[in-house]
Amino acid sequence: MVNLKKYNDVLKLFVIFLTFVFITSCSKQNYYITKIEGKRIPIAEKENQAPEPKLDSEQTKLIENFIKPYREHINKDLDSVLAYCPVTLDKSSGKWQTTIGNLLADVTLMRGNLVFNAREKKNIDICLLNHGGIRSILPKGNVTSRTAFEIMPFENSMVVVALKGAQILELVDYFINEKKPHPLSGLTFTIDKNNAAKNILIQGKSIDKDKIYYVGTNDYLSNGGDNMNFFKKSVQKYVLDYKLRNILIDYFKEVDTIPVVNDVRITVE
């Protein structure tokens, strides 16, 4: 009988391999996704349906031998060391901000800005991601592509949203009301005794209610996900076609040692 868990794990690795192949091929040729469709396929046996034939040991061995080189190739790519992290970073390390959240927001703003500036000749002012989108720690030790897949297993891509200063104020109010350390970069403020924001600074300058600011985030949040409805009031939206996971992998490839970002972005009176 086939070991279903082992077989499913192998299939997952094969899907990851195909993802790598697709990303590589798209980087060399100008292919663009224009439409994605999906449907639910039931796997439960229907009434009167003949049971699936059982695979004997020889058939199982043939499948295993076929998949083995792909698994080894995938594991080699995923486990190649890209950088080193001096301490473990996790999302439970602070009330209003975390070391891993600071890192992810800074990296997303920095690398996303390379694309945004080249295309639009504009700069990203703020980056806001969601606390729930961080799915794993960044452990102390060697950092690999697998690390990035574990931290960001979803297929979210980066989007830049143009918001007026008035919507940035809504963003700040949302942050305070949520009481979650959402990854934040480029924006600092103080929470006073009345639970209101003051001393709001964007890139070190006082906020202007009428000015347009460019906020980097992911495609899910840009559509109002996690009740971030202020994004729906955007003046314009720019799709960068740059997955957040790939942003993280590209950053890992660039640095030798991951910095621990401890600067204070939100203060409380």
mmCIF file of all heavy atoms in Angstrom, residues 41-82:
data_model
loop_
_atom_site.group_PDB
_atom_site.id
_atom_site.type_symbol
_atom_site.label_atom_id
_atom_site.label_comp_id
_atom_site.label_asym_id
_atom_site.label_seq_id
_atom_site.Cartn_x
_atom_site.Cartn_y
_atom_site.Cartn_z
ATOM 1 N N ILE A 41 -12.418 20.217 -6.326
ATOM 2 C CA ILE A 41 -12.520 18.854 -6.818
ATOM 3 C C ILE A 41 -12.677 17.920 -5.623
ATOM 4 O O ILE A 41 -11.744 17.780 -4.820
ATOM 5 C CB ILE A 41 -11.271 18.459 -7.622
ATOM 6 C CG1 ILE A 41 -11.070 19.432 -8.797
ATOM 7 C CG2 ILE A 41 -11.378 17.028 -8.122
ATOM 8 C CD1 ILE A 41 -9.810 19.181 -9.581
ATOM 9 N N PRO A 42 -13.825 17.311 -5.443
ATOM 10 C CA PRO A 42 -14.023 16.412 -4.288
ATOM 11 C C PRO A 42 -13.156 15.169 -4.409
ATOM 12 O O PRO A 42 -12.990 14.615 -5.502
ATOM 13 C CB PRO A 42 -15.514 16.069 -4.361
ATOM 14 C CG PRO A 42 -15.869 16.262 -5.803
ATOM 15 C CD PRO A 42 -15.013 17.393 -6.296
ATOM 16 N N ILE A 43 -12.601 14.741 -3.281
ATOM 17 C CA ILE A 43 -11.746 13.552 -3.302
ATOM 18 C C ILE A 43 -12.401 12.377 -2.578
ATOM 19 O O ILE A 43 -11.871 11.277 -2.584
ATOM 20 C CB ILE A 43 -10.376 13.850 -2.668
ATOM 21 C CG1 ILE A 43 -10.537 14.280 -1.203
ATOM 22 C CG2 ILE A 43 -9.631 14.895 -3.446
ATOM 23 C CD1 ILE A 43 -9.219 14.440 -0.488
ATOM 24 N N ALA A 44 -13.539 12.635 -1.955
ATOM 25 C CA ALA A 44 -14.244 11.554 -1.268
ATOM 26 C C ALA A 44 -14.861 10.619 -2.298
ATOM 27 O O ALA A 44 -15.273 11.039 -3.381
ATOM 28 C CB ALA A 44 -15.320 12.125 -0.355
ATOM 29 N N GLU A 45 -14.928 9.341 -1.964
ATOM 30 C CA GLU A 45 -15.515 8.369 -2.875
ATOM 31 C C GLU A 45 -17.020 8.591 -2.990
ATOM 32 O O GLU A 45 -17.711 8.802 -1.998
ATOM 33 C CB GLU A 45 -15.243 6.948 -2.378
ATOM 34 C CG GLU A 45 -13.783 6.546 -2.449
ATOM 35 C CD GLU A 45 -13.589 5.098 -2.044
ATOM 36 O OE1 GLU A 45 -14.611 4.423 -1.792
ATOM 37 O OE2 GLU A 45 -12.437 4.661 -1.978
ATOM 38 N N LYS A 46 -17.504 8.578 -4.231
ATOM 39 C CA LYS A 46 -18.935 8.711 -4.445
ATOM 40 C C LYS A 46 -19.607 7.341 -4.256
ATOM 41 O O LYS A 46 -18.969 6.296 -4.315
ATOM 42 C CB LYS A 46 -19.202 9.222 -5.860
ATOM 43 C CG LYS A 46 -18.685 10.628 -6.102
ATOM 44 C CD LYS A 46 -19.003 11.088 -7.521
ATOM 45 C CE LYS A 46 -18.488 12.485 -7.754
ATOM 46 N NZ LYS A 46 -18.764 12.943 -9.143
ATOM 47 N N GLU A 47 -20.911 7.408 -4.056
ATOM 48 C CA GLU A 47 -21.657 6.169 -3.871
ATOM 49 C C GLU A 47 -21.560 5.302 -5.125
ATOM 50 O O GLU A 47 -21.657 5.805 -6.251
ATOM 51 C CB GLU A 47 -23.126 6.503 -3.573
ATOM 52 C CG GLU A 47 -23.936 5.290 -3.178
ATOM 53 C CD GLU A 47 -25.346 5.672 -2.790
ATOM 54 O OE1 GLU A 47 -25.631 6.886 -2.740
ATOM 55 O OE2 GLU A 47 -26.143 4.756 -2.545
ATOM 56 N N ASN A 48 -21.341 4.046 -4.946
ATOM 57 C CA ASN A 48 -21.229 3.079 -6.040
ATOM 58 C C ASN A 48 -19.991 3.280 -6.906
ATOM 59 O O ASN A 48 -19.900 2.722 -8.000
ATOM 60 C CB ASN A 48 -22.479 3.116 -6.938
ATOM 61 C CG ASN A 48 -23.751 2.790 -6.169
ATOM 62 O OD1 ASN A 48 -23.733 1.932 -5.273
ATOM 63 N ND2 ASN A 48 -24.838 3.470 -6.502
ATOM 64 N N GLN A 49 -19.085 4.108 -6.457
ATOM 65 C CA GLN A 49 -17.860 4.317 -7.228
ATOM 66 C C GLN A 49 -16.861 3.215 -6.892
ATOM 67 O O GLN A 49 -16.659 2.869 -5.733
ATOM 68 C CB GLN A 49 -17.241 5.690 -6.904
ATOM 69 C CG GLN A 49 -15.992 5.991 -7.705
ATOM 70 C CD GLN A 49 -15.448 7.377 -7.364
ATOM 71 O OE1 GLN A 49 -15.988 8.052 -6.487
ATOM 72 N NE2 GLN A 49 -14.407 7.783 -8.048
ATOM 73 N N ALA A 50 -16.241 2.699 -7.927
ATOM 74 C CA ALA A 50 -15.267 1.636 -7.714
ATOM 75 C C ALA A 50 -14.069 2.178 -6.947
ATOM 76 O O ALA A 50 -13.617 3.292 -7.207
ATOM 77 C CB ALA A 50 -14.812 1.074 -9.066
ATOM 78 N N PRO A 51 -13.560 1.437 -5.975
ATOM 79 C CA PRO A 51 -12.399 1.911 -5.210
ATOM 80 C C PRO A 51 -11.159 2.030 -6.090
ATOM 81 O O PRO A 51 -11.021 1.322 -7.090
ATOM 82 C CB PRO A 51 -12.221 0.817 -4.141
ATOM 83 C CG PRO A 51 -12.840 -0.402 -4.749
ATOM 84 C CD PRO A 51 -13.995 0.092 -5.582
ATOM 85 N N GLU A 52 -10.299 2.925 -5.717
ATOM 86 C CA GLU A 52 -9.054 3.120 -6.450
ATOM 87 C C GLU A 52 -8.203 1.862 -6.328
ATOM 88 O O GLU A 52 -8.114 1.255 -5.254
ATOM 89 C CB GLU A 52 -8.290 4.314 -5.887
ATOM 90 C CG GLU A 52 -8.946 5.654 -6.161
ATOM 91 C CD GLU A 52 -8.906 6.034 -7.621
ATOM 92 O OE1 GLU A 52 -7.972 5.592 -8.328
ATOM 93 O OE2 GLU A 52 -9.812 6.764 -8.073
ATOM 94 N N PRO A 53 -7.584 1.463 -7.426
ATOM 95 C CA PRO A 53 -6.735 0.273 -7.355
ATOM 96 C C PRO A 53 -5.534 0.508 -6.455
ATOM 97 O O PRO A 53 -4.978 1.601 -6.419
ATOM 98 C CB PRO A 53 -6.300 0.067 -8.818
ATOM 99 C CG PRO A 53 -6.435 1.421 -9.452
ATOM 100 C CD PRO A 53 -7.603 2.061 -8.770
ATOM 101 N N LYS A 54 -5.157 -0.513 -5.713
ATOM 102 C CA LYS A 54 -4.007 -0.407 -4.822
ATOM 103 C C LYS A 54 -2.723 -0.618 -5.615
ATOM 104 O O LYS A 54 -2.648 -1.449 -6.521
ATOM 105 C CB LYS A 54 -4.102 -1.456 -3.705
ATOM 106 C CG LYS A 54 -5.378 -1.392 -2.884
ATOM 107 C CD LYS A 54 -5.495 -0.091 -2.118
ATOM 108 C CE LYS A 54 -6.725 -0.095 -1.232
ATOM 109 N NZ LYS A 54 -6.879 1.174 -0.496
ATOM 110 N N LEU A 55 -1.717 0.154 -5.276
ATOM 111 C CA LEU A 55 -0.421 -0.006 -5.922
ATOM 112 C C LEU A 55 0.401 -1.033 -5.163
ATOM 113 O O LEU A 55 0.465 -1.003 -3.937
ATOM 114 C CB LEU A 55 0.326 1.331 -5.950
ATOM 115 C CG LEU A 55 -0.337 2.471 -6.749
ATOM 116 C CD1 LEU A 55 0.514 3.724 -6.640
ATOM 117 C CD2 LEU A 55 -0.538 2.093 -8.193
ATOM 118 N N ASP A 56 1.019 -1.924 -5.897
ATOM 119 C CA ASP A 56 1.879 -2.890 -5.229
ATOM 120 C C ASP A 56 3.250 -2.275 -4.979
ATOM 121 O O ASP A 56 3.532 -1.146 -5.391
ATOM 122 C CB ASP A 56 1.991 -4.180 -6.048
ATOM 123 C CG ASP A 56 2.565 -3.942 -7.451
ATOM 124 O OD1 ASP A 56 3.397 -3.022 -7.613
ATOM 125 O OD2 ASP A 56 2.182 -4.678 -8.376
ATOM 126 N N SER A 57 4.104 -3.007 -4.313
ATOM 127 C CA SER A 57 5.407 -2.473 -3.926
ATOM 128 C C SER A 57 6.261 -2.103 -5.127
ATOM 129 O O SER A 57 7.021 -1.123 -5.089
ATOM 130 C CB SER A 57 6.146 -3.493 -3.056
ATOM 131 O OG SER A 57 6.318 -4.712 -3.762
ATOM 132 N N GLU A 58 6.134 -2.845 -6.205
ATOM 133 C CA GLU A 58 6.932 -2.558 -7.402
ATOM 134 C C GLU A 58 6.491 -1.246 -8.047
ATOM 135 O O GLU A 58 7.308 -0.429 -8.483
ATOM 136 C CB GLU A 58 6.792 -3.707 -8.407
ATOM 137 C CG GLU A 58 7.700 -3.580 -9.627
ATOM 138 C CD GLU A 58 9.166 -3.612 -9.246
ATOM 139 O OE1 GLU A 58 9.502 -4.249 -8.226
ATOM 140 O OE2 GLU A 58 9.974 -2.999 -9.971
ATOM 141 N N GLN A 59 5.172 -1.023 -8.094
ATOM 142 C CA GLN A 59 4.650 0.234 -8.651
ATOM 143 C C GLN A 59 5.050 1.414 -7.785
ATOM 144 O O GLN A 59 5.406 2.487 -8.279
ATOM 145 C CB GLN A 59 3.126 0.140 -8.771
ATOM 146 C CG GLN A 59 2.653 -0.841 -9.833
ATOM 147 C CD GLN A 59 1.159 -1.067 -9.775
ATOM 148 O OE1 GLN A 59 0.569 -1.186 -8.691
ATOM 149 N NE2 GLN A 59 0.531 -1.137 -10.941
ATOM 150 N N THR A 60 4.961 1.220 -6.481
ATOM 151 C CA THR A 60 5.366 2.276 -5.551
ATOM 152 C C THR A 60 6.845 2.621 -5.740
ATOM 153 O O THR A 60 7.235 3.795 -5.739
ATOM 154 C CB THR A 60 5.128 1.832 -4.101
ATOM 155 O OG1 THR A 60 3.757 1.504 -3.925
ATOM 156 C CG2 THR A 60 5.521 2.937 -3.132
ATOM 157 N N LYS A 61 7.651 1.612 -5.935
ATOM 158 C CA LYS A 61 9.084 1.816 -6.133
ATOM 159 C C LYS A 61 9.345 2.582 -7.421
ATOM 160 O O LYS A 61 10.216 3.469 -7.467
ATOM 161 C CB LYS A 61 9.798 0.466 -6.165
ATOM 162 C CG LYS A 61 11.312 0.576 -6.255
ATOM 163 C CD LYS A 61 11.957 -0.805 -6.207
ATOM 164 C CE LYS A 61 13.474 -0.698 -6.323
ATOM 165 N NZ LYS A 61 14.114 -2.034 -6.286
ATOM 166 N N LEU A 62 8.595 2.267 -8.467
ATOM 167 C CA LEU A 62 8.751 2.978 -9.736
ATOM 168 C C LEU A 62 8.416 4.450 -9.593
ATOM 169 O O LEU A 62 9.114 5.324 -10.127
ATOM 170 C CB LEU A 62 7.851 2.331 -10.799
ATOM 171 C CG LEU A 62 8.290 0.976 -11.343
ATOM 172 C CD1 LEU A 62 7.211 0.393 -12.256
ATOM 173 C CD2 LEU A 62 9.614 1.098 -12.093
ATOM 174 N N ILE A 63 7.330 4.748 -8.866
ATOM 175 C CA ILE A 63 6.947 6.136 -8.638
ATOM 176 C C ILE A 63 8.023 6.857 -7.836
ATOM 177 O O ILE A 63 8.418 7.983 -8.146
ATOM 178 C CB ILE A 63 5.596 6.204 -7.896
ATOM 179 C CG1 ILE A 63 4.477 5.675 -8.794
ATOM 180 C CG2 ILE A 63 5.297 7.642 -7.457
ATOM 181 C CD1 ILE A 63 3.141 5.563 -8.105
ATOM 182 N N GLU A 64 8.501 6.191 -6.792
ATOM 183 C CA GLU A 64 9.532 6.788 -5.945
ATOM 184 C C GLU A 64 10.800 7.077 -6.749
ATOM 185 O O GLU A 64 11.403 8.145 -6.622
ATOM 186 C CB GLU A 64 9.841 5.844 -4.782
ATOM 187 C CG GLU A 64 11.012 6.261 -3.908
ATOM 188 C CD GLU A 64 10.749 7.551 -3.170
ATOM 189 O OE1 GLU A 64 9.560 7.891 -2.990
ATOM 190 O OE2 GLU A 64 11.731 8.212 -2.777
ATOM 191 N N ASN A 65 11.208 6.137 -7.600
ATOM 192 C CA ASN A 65 12.419 6.337 -8.409
ATOM 193 C C ASN A 65 12.252 7.459 -9.417
ATOM 194 O O ASN A 65 13.204 8.171 -9.748
ATOM 195 C CB ASN A 65 12.781 5.035 -9.132
ATOM 196 C CG ASN A 65 13.304 3.972 -8.192
ATOM 197 O OD1 ASN A 65 13.750 4.280 -7.090
ATOM 198 N ND2 ASN A 65 13.236 2.712 -8.615
ATOM 199 N N PHE A 66 11.016 7.626 -9.913
ATOM 200 C CA PHE A 66 10.753 8.704 -10.873
ATOM 201 C C PHE A 66 10.841 10.072 -10.201
ATOM 202 O O PHE A 66 11.393 11.020 -10.744
ATOM 203 C CB PHE A 66 9.375 8.512 -11.499
ATOM 204 C CG PHE A 66 8.973 9.612 -12.437
ATOM 205 C CD1 PHE A 66 9.463 9.653 -13.738
ATOM 206 C CD2 PHE A 66 8.111 10.617 -12.014
ATOM 207 C CE1 PHE A 66 9.100 10.677 -14.596
ATOM 208 C CE2 PHE A 66 7.743 11.640 -12.864
ATOM 209 C CZ PHE A 66 8.233 11.676 -14.171
ATOM 210 N N ILE A 67 10.287 10.159 -8.984
ATOM 211 C CA ILE A 67 10.213 11.445 -8.287
ATOM 212 C C ILE A 67 11.530 11.804 -7.589
ATOM 213 O O ILE A 67 11.846 12.973 -7.396
ATOM 214 C CB ILE A 67 9.053 11.423 -7.263
ATOM 215 C CG1 ILE A 67 7.723 11.325 -7.999
ATOM 216 C CG2 ILE A 67 9.055 12.644 -6.373
ATOM 217 C CD1 ILE A 67 6.528 11.184 -7.101
ATOM 218 N N LYS A 68 12.309 10.818 -7.234
ATOM 219 C CA LYS A 68 13.519 11.024 -6.427
ATOM 220 C C LYS A 68 14.447 12.118 -6.958
ATOM 221 O O LYS A 68 14.858 13.000 -6.203
ATOM 222 C CB LYS A 68 14.275 9.717 -6.289
ATOM 223 C CG LYS A 68 15.517 9.828 -5.404
ATOM 224 C CD LYS A 68 16.210 8.482 -5.267
ATOM 225 C CE LYS A 68 17.477 8.612 -4.410
ATOM 226 N NZ LYS A 68 18.169 7.317 -4.288
ATOM 227 N N PRO A 69 14.811 12.126 -8.252
ATOM 228 C CA PRO A 69 15.724 13.181 -8.714
ATOM 229 C C PRO A 69 15.135 14.580 -8.599
ATOM 230 O O PRO A 69 15.855 15.551 -8.340
ATOM 231 C CB PRO A 69 15.996 12.800 -10.176
ATOM 232 C CG PRO A 69 14.892 11.879 -10.561
ATOM 233 C CD PRO A 69 14.514 11.151 -9.322
ATOM 234 N N TYR A 70 13.803 14.694 -8.789
ATOM 235 C CA TYR A 70 13.157 15.994 -8.643
ATOM 236 C C TYR A 70 13.199 16.443 -7.180
ATOM 237 O O TYR A 70 13.450 17.614 -6.888
ATOM 238 C CB TYR A 70 11.703 15.926 -9.129
ATOM 239 C CG TYR A 70 11.563 15.636 -10.594
ATOM 240 C CD1 TYR A 70 11.215 14.364 -11.040
ATOM 241 C CD2 TYR A 70 11.787 16.630 -11.550
ATOM 242 C CE1 TYR A 70 11.089 14.094 -12.397
ATOM 243 C CE2 TYR A 70 11.658 16.375 -12.899
ATOM 244 C CZ TYR A 70 11.315 15.103 -13.320
ATOM 245 O OH TYR A 70 11.194 14.842 -14.661
ATOM 246 N N ARG A 71 12.927 15.491 -6.276
ATOM 247 C CA ARG A 71 12.977 15.822 -4.852
ATOM 248 C C ARG A 71 14.365 16.288 -4.453
ATOM 249 O O ARG A 71 14.528 17.274 -3.741
ATOM 250 C CB ARG A 71 12.573 14.606 -4.012
ATOM 251 C CG ARG A 71 12.554 14.916 -2.506
ATOM 252 C CD ARG A 71 12.644 13.688 -1.646
ATOM 253 N NE ARG A 71 11.537 12.778 -1.866
ATOM 254 C CZ ARG A 71 11.678 11.548 -2.329
ATOM 255 N NH1 ARG A 71 12.896 11.106 -2.663
ATOM 256 N NH2 ARG A 71 10.647 10.761 -2.475
ATOM 257 N N GLU A 72 15.380 15.574 -4.911
ATOM 258 C CA GLU A 72 16.761 15.924 -4.560
ATOM 259 C C GLU A 72 17.133 17.296 -5.114
ATOM 260 O O GLU A 72 17.823 18.082 -4.450
ATOM 261 C CB GLU A 72 17.714 14.853 -5.084
ATOM 262 C CG GLU A 72 17.572 13.518 -4.349
ATOM 263 C CD GLU A 72 18.432 12.420 -4.940
ATOM 264 O OE1 GLU A 72 18.961 12.620 -6.065
ATOM 265 O OE2 GLU A 72 18.573 11.361 -4.293
ATOM 266 N N HIS A 73 16.681 17.583 -6.329
ATOM 267 C CA HIS A 73 16.961 18.896 -6.930
ATOM 268 C C HIS A 73 16.276 20.013 -6.157
ATOM 269 O O HIS A 73 16.881 21.061 -5.869
ATOM 270 C CB HIS A 73 16.498 18.905 -8.387
ATOM 271 C CG HIS A 73 16.727 20.207 -9.086
ATOM 272 N ND1 HIS A 73 17.974 20.633 -9.495
ATOM 273 C CD2 HIS A 73 15.870 21.206 -9.423
ATOM 274 C CE1 HIS A 73 17.878 21.817 -10.075
ATOM 275 N NE2 HIS A 73 16.605 22.188 -10.039
ATOM 276 N N ILE A 74 15.013 19.772 -5.792
ATOM 277 C CA ILE A 74 14.261 20.776 -5.024
ATOM 278 C C ILE A 74 14.914 21.015 -3.668
ATOM 279 O O ILE A 74 15.114 22.157 -3.245
ATOM 280 C CB ILE A 74 12.801 20.317 -4.829
ATOM 281 C CG1 ILE A 74 12.069 20.316 -6.161
ATOM 282 C CG2 ILE A 74 12.078 21.235 -3.837
ATOM 283 C CD1 ILE A 74 10.732 19.609 -6.116
ATOM 284 N N ASN A 75 15.253 19.938 -2.974
ATOM 285 C CA ASN A 75 15.862 20.080 -1.652
ATOM 286 C C ASN A 75 17.202 20.808 -1.724
ATOM 287 O O ASN A 75 17.540 21.590 -0.835
ATOM 288 C CB ASN A 75 16.049 18.704 -1.011
ATOM 289 C CG ASN A 75 14.743 18.126 -0.491
ATOM 290 O OD1 ASN A 75 13.831 18.864 -0.142
ATOM 291 N ND2 ASN A 75 14.645 16.806 -0.468
ATOM 292 N N LYS A 76 17.954 20.549 -2.787
ATOM 293 C CA LYS A 76 19.239 21.227 -2.946
ATOM 294 C C LYS A 76 19.031 22.727 -3.106
ATOM 295 O O LYS A 76 19.743 23.541 -2.503
ATOM 296 C CB LYS A 76 19.982 20.675 -4.162
ATOM 297 C CG LYS A 76 21.353 21.303 -4.380
ATOM 298 C CD LYS A 76 22.067 20.679 -5.572
ATOM 299 C CE LYS A 76 23.426 21.344 -5.794
ATOM 300 N NZ LYS A 76 24.120 20.766 -6.982
ATOM 301 N N ASP A 77 18.048 23.116 -3.922
ATOM 302 C CA ASP A 77 17.753 24.541 -4.114
ATOM 303 C C ASP A 77 17.221 25.179 -2.832
ATOM 304 O O ASP A 77 17.628 26.279 -2.448
ATOM 305 C CB ASP A 77 16.726 24.728 -5.231
ATOM 306 C CG ASP A 77 17.338 24.595 -6.612
ATOM 307 O OD1 ASP A 77 18.578 24.667 -6.708
ATOM 308 O OD2 ASP A 77 16.582 24.409 -7.583
ATOM 309 N N LEU A 78 16.299 24.473 -2.171
ATOM 310 C CA LEU A 78 15.666 25.039 -0.986
ATOM 311 C C LEU A 78 16.630 25.147 0.195
ATOM 312 O O LEU A 78 16.492 26.042 1.023
ATOM 313 C CB LEU A 78 14.457 24.201 -0.577
ATOM 314 C CG LEU A 78 13.215 24.300 -1.468
ATOM 315 C CD1 LEU A 78 12.145 23.344 -0.974
ATOM 316 C CD2 LEU A 78 12.677 25.720 -1.523
ATOM 317 N N ASP A 79 17.587 24.240 0.287
ATOM 318 C CA ASP A 79 18.447 24.177 1.468
ATOM 319 C C ASP A 79 19.833 24.777 1.272
ATOM 320 O O ASP A 79 20.672 24.702 2.172
ATOM 321 C CB ASP A 79 18.572 22.720 1.928
ATOM 322 C CG ASP A 79 17.245 22.163 2.425
ATOM 323 O OD1 ASP A 79 16.452 22.946 2.964
ATOM 324 O OD2 ASP A 79 16.996 20.948 2.258
ATOM 325 N N SER A 80 20.080 25.379 0.127
ATOM 326 C CA SER A 80 21.356 26.074 -0.069
ATOM 327 C C SER A 80 21.400 27.292 0.849
ATOM 328 O O SER A 80 20.444 28.080 0.906
ATOM 329 C CB SER A 80 21.502 26.517 -1.529
ATOM 330 O OG SER A 80 21.563 25.398 -2.388
ATOM 331 N N VAL A 81 22.494 27.470 1.562
ATOM 332 C CA VAL A 81 22.616 28.556 2.540
ATOM 333 C C VAL A 81 22.769 29.897 1.814
ATOM 334 O O VAL A 81 23.633 30.051 0.940
ATOM 335 C CB VAL A 81 23.807 28.327 3.484
ATOM 336 C CG1 VAL A 81 23.969 29.498 4.434
ATOM 337 C CG2 VAL A 81 23.614 27.028 4.258
ATOM 338 N N LEU A 82 21.920 30.857 2.177
ATOM 339 C CA LEU A 82 21.954 32.182 1.563
ATOM 340 C C LEU A 82 22.518 33.244 2.498
ATOM 341 O O LEU A 82 23.162 34.194 2.054
ATOM 342 C CB LEU A 82 20.535 32.593 1.134
ATOM 343 C CG LEU A 82 19.795 31.640 0.197
ATOM 344 C CD1 LEU A 82 18.404 32.185 -0.094
ATOM 345 C CD2 LEU A 82 20.567 31.428 -1.091
#
